[in-house]
Amino acid sequence: MATVTQDTGRELRRIVRTNEEIKRVVATAFKINLMAMNAIFLAKRAGQTALGFGVLSNELRRFAMDLQKQMSQLREMTYGSVNTVTALVKQARLNRVLERARKESSGSGRSLIDEFMRTRHNLVFARHREQIAALNRRLSQMIADTAQLVELGSVLARSAKIEAAYGGAFSTSLMQVSSDFERTIGEIQRSLESLTKHQDATL
Amino acid sequence: MKTARVIYEDGKHKWIALVRDPNRPDYLIDSNEYLVIDDDDSLLLDPGGNEVFPAVFSALSTEFDPRKITKLFASHQDPDIISSLALWLEFNPQVKCYISWLWASFVPHFGGNKETFISIPDGGMDIMIGSQRLQAIPAHYLHSSGNFHLYDPKAKILFSGDVGAALLPPGEDDLFFEDFDRHIRHAEGFHRRWMGSDKAKRDWCQRVSQLDIEMMCPQHGAIYRGDQVRRFIDWFSHLEVGIVKG
């Protein structure tokens, strides 16, 4: 029973860590959205000399919005995991007390608890474990999908950097904006890698 | 584990006190739980906190089948009274808990749902156990703002929750006592501090002095018998309450 409690605690800590990482990505995704808006205005000001950059900054803005949508789904999913793990923590706590009751009881009292705990373990813990495993699988899939999306963002940022070179008088500012994109998307990629690592450890 | 002591028995009507766990950690206040049985029906009074559940359950199962616990009575909302609710519900999800209407939406934080609670109105109510009619007696503000005691007219026992409670030192923790003056010293500080309303105290004294009581069973400390009950009511009616020392 101690293992169940330890596993549950570990699972809860893992979910808290994942949630924190997702929060970081969400904040960065929001930043990208603002950066894309800025890039669009800048491209408009640059006019003919930054047509290519303008197309890319529109794509980057679309990317930022898709990323935000993806992140909000991820957050909902981790909220679901927190609910399930919290229920498991509560059950594990009740189990600890029941285990003590079993030790203190004798005769029919003990047999009653034995029988009860067996049924309970099979029903409650198995169900919760199943739910957590399913959530973890969905979460991993979602992280993989997000990583793919971010990879696209990274390609867009690199292309924007190339287009910036053709920006004439605006070249320096455009270069600055596209470098910011590249750096920020890099941050997201690192967060996602770390999320993938947490997930891989659980599957 | 606690000891189950039969304190009243007349045919199929019985009161069992679940008391004194020698292994109780000293950071937990000691509590008495009582089981009223009539035929196959039963009512567990102030079932206790989560931490004492093992001791209560094991003691109870030496005298009664715990699966037959279908009714709980909570004098008020404190954790040492009813935080074990979720555990009793694990054994029998149909368990009903009688509690003041005031706490019916607070106590579900310990467990249970809408179906679990039977709200006791402020004026009290009768609770049937087997063929016996027990009475929930109002004891509001002693100490909780929604508080009930339970009177059994057949056994002439009043379960008095925190009223009459005493914090007994080691070596003086028998279930019954002989020397009232010596015992009441261990109850005085508790009552002065915990009982918040002088008016509520006087109302309660008036109410219970009309009952025929042979035993008064508090949730902490020792049981009052015979003349000790009258002496307690008299002592309590004169006690200045709602006081913080110093």
Side-chain angles (χ1 to χ4, degrees):
Chain A
M1 214 51 63
T3 319
V4 171
T5 313
Q6 283 161 9
D7 285 357
T8 313
R10 201 176 306 134
E11 190 64 23
L12 185 62
R13 282 193 295 277
R14 187 188 65 75
I15 284 183
V16 169
R17 220 167 36 220
T18 304
N19 216 3
E20 285 307 304
E21 203 71 59
I22 288 175
K23 266 159 65 184
R24 221 184 335 264
V25 180
V26 170
T28 319
F30 182 70
K31 211 157 70 183
I32 283 208
N33 203 7
L34 291 178
M35 285 164 64
M37 294 275 281
N38 264 339
I40 290 169
F41 292 136
L42 192 61
K44 283 224 155 98
R45 277 215 308 275
Q48 287 297 320
T49 50
L51 278 183
F53 188 90
V55 171
L56 283 166
S57 56
N58 275 319
E59 287 302 313
L60 276 165
R61 173 149 161 75
R62 200 166 299 137
F63 154 74
M65 286 164 77
D66 287 348
L67 186 61
Q68 264 188 313
K69 214 182 291 168
Q70 193 87 354
M71 286 296 121
S72 80
Q73 281 175 0
L74 265 176
R75 284 188 84 169
E76 262 172 49
M77 212 175 277
T78 46
Y79 178 68
S81 320
V82 170
N83 273 350
T84 308
V85 176
T86 304
L88 204 56
V89 167
K90 202 170 141 194
Q91 292 299 331
R93 180 162 187 250
L94 292 181
N95 250 44
R96 276 201 303 272
V97 181
L98 287 172
E99 179 58 31
R100 274 172 45 212
R102 197 191 78 83
K103 277 188 191 145
E104 287 198 24
S105 301
S106 54
S108 62
R110 179 176 278 209
S111 332
L112 179 63
I113 295 189
D114 276 339
E115 187 194 324
F116 177 73
M117 285 180 84
R118 252 196 315 275
T119 322
R120 196 169 172 279
H121 190 269
N122 291 342
L123 283 177
V124 180
F125 283 97
R127 197 182 64 227
H128 281 140
R129 282 187 185 292
E130 180 95 359
Q131 281 174 347
I132 288 183
L135 273 165
N136 277 335
R137 282 194 296 273
R138 280 174 54 211
L139 194 59
S140 296
Q141 184 58 51
M142 184 74 89
I143 292 170
D145 291 350
T146 311
Q148 236 171 354
L149 179 70
V150 173
E151 185 55 44
L152 170 72
S154 167
V155 171
L156 287 172
R158 276 201 300 275
S159 304
K161 221 168 163 183
I162 296 166
E163 284 299 325
Y166 300 104
F170 285 88
S171 182
T172 315
S173 337
L174 293 175
M175 188 61 82
Q176 177 66 46
V177 170
S178 44
S179 297
D180 286 349
F181 266 126
E182 202 176 28
R183 198 182 51 251
T184 311
I185 288 173
E187 274 174 39
I188 297 179
Q189 275 176 321
R190 278 190 293 282
S191 286
L192 285 173
E193 271 164 27
S194 155
L195 273 174
T196 311
K197 219 183 291 166
H198 293 329
Q199 281 307 107
D200 287 350
T202 62
L203 294 175
Chain B
M1 100 177 187
K2 286 187 176 237
T3 309
R5 289 182 59 177
V6 178
I7 57 171
Y8 171 87
E9 188 166 16
D10 182 4
K12 288 177 174 173
H13 193 59
K14 220 181 202 184
W15 274 70
I16 297 170
L18 307 163
V19 291
R20 310 292 184 269
D21 176 11
N23 301 319
R24 173 184 59 86
D26 58 7
Y27 56 82
L28 278 181
I29 189 167
D30 192 24
S31 57
N32 305 328
E33 291 75 28
Y34 300 92
L35 180 69
V36 188
I37 304 170
D38 194 81
D39 209 347
D40 246 5
D41 201 3
S42 66
L43 179 68
L44 182 59
L45 314 183
D46 283 2
N50 251 342
E51 285 304 310
V52 300
F53 175 84
V56 173
F57 181 91
S58 48
L60 186 146
S61 60
T62 62
E63 287 284 337
F64 192 72
D65 183 343
R67 283 171 300 191
K68 290 184 182 166
I69 302 286
T70 54
K71 295 170 190 156
L72 308 176
F73 173 86
S75 60
H76 59 289
Q77 83 292 2
D78 278 351
D80 64 321
I81 304 290
I82 189 65
S83 67
S84 62
L85 176 62
L87 285 152
W88 292 104
L89 282 165
E90 286 283 329
F91 279 92
N92 182 359
Q94 307 309 318
V95 159
K96 300 288 179 205
C97 177
Y98 291 87
I99 192 161
S100 161
W101 68 272
L102 203 63
W103 302 120
S105 59
F106 288 75
V107 171
H109 283 282
F110 290 140
N113 55 37
K114 203 177 169 190
E115 313 305 319
T116 310
F117 299 93
I118 298 176
S119 294
I120 309 177
D122 280 342
M125 68 186 279
D126 288 348
I127 298 172
M128 290 301 295
I129 301 300
S131 57
Q132 291 304 315
R133 190 180 296 275
L134 309 186
Q135 298 163 13
I137 306 283
H140 307 307
Y141 297 102
L142 299 174
H143 66 91
S144 164
S145 45
N147 206 115
F148 286 96
H149 295 164
L150 193 80
Y151 179 61
D152 179 345
K154 181 177 168 69
K156 297 181 180 171
I157 294 178
L158 175 71
F159 167 65
S160 59
D162 281 323
V163 174
L167 306 175
L168 302 175
E172 282 186 58
D173 57 353
D174 286 347
L175 185 55
F176 297 100
F177 62 92
E178 299 302 330
D179 185 339
F180 182 86
D181 294 323
R182 187 180 172 84
H183 175 78
I184 211 67
R185 287 205 305 258
H186 304 306
E188 189 174 332
F190 182 87
H191 286 75
R192 281 192 196 280
R193 179 67 201 252
W194 281 91
M195 304 302 153
S197 160
D198 198 57
K199 182 177 184 312
K201 180 201 74 177
R202 277 186 274 115
D203 285 351
W204 181 86
C205 290
Q206 162 87 24
R207 197 172 297 121
V208 299
S209 57
Q210 288 162 14
L211 302 173
D212 184 5
I213 304 170
E214 281 183 4
M215 254 188 266
M216 190 180 97
C217 302
Q219 198 229 346
H220 308 282
I223 293 175
Y224 299 74
R225 288 178 295 185
D227 192 48
Q228 293 167 346
V229 177
R230 188 198 52 75
R231 285 191 70 185
F232 174 81
I233 297 170
D234 188 47
W235 169 85
F236 191 36
S237 68
H238 290 98
L239 186 74
E240 206 181 350
V241 298
I243 289 170
V244 180
K245 245 185 182 173

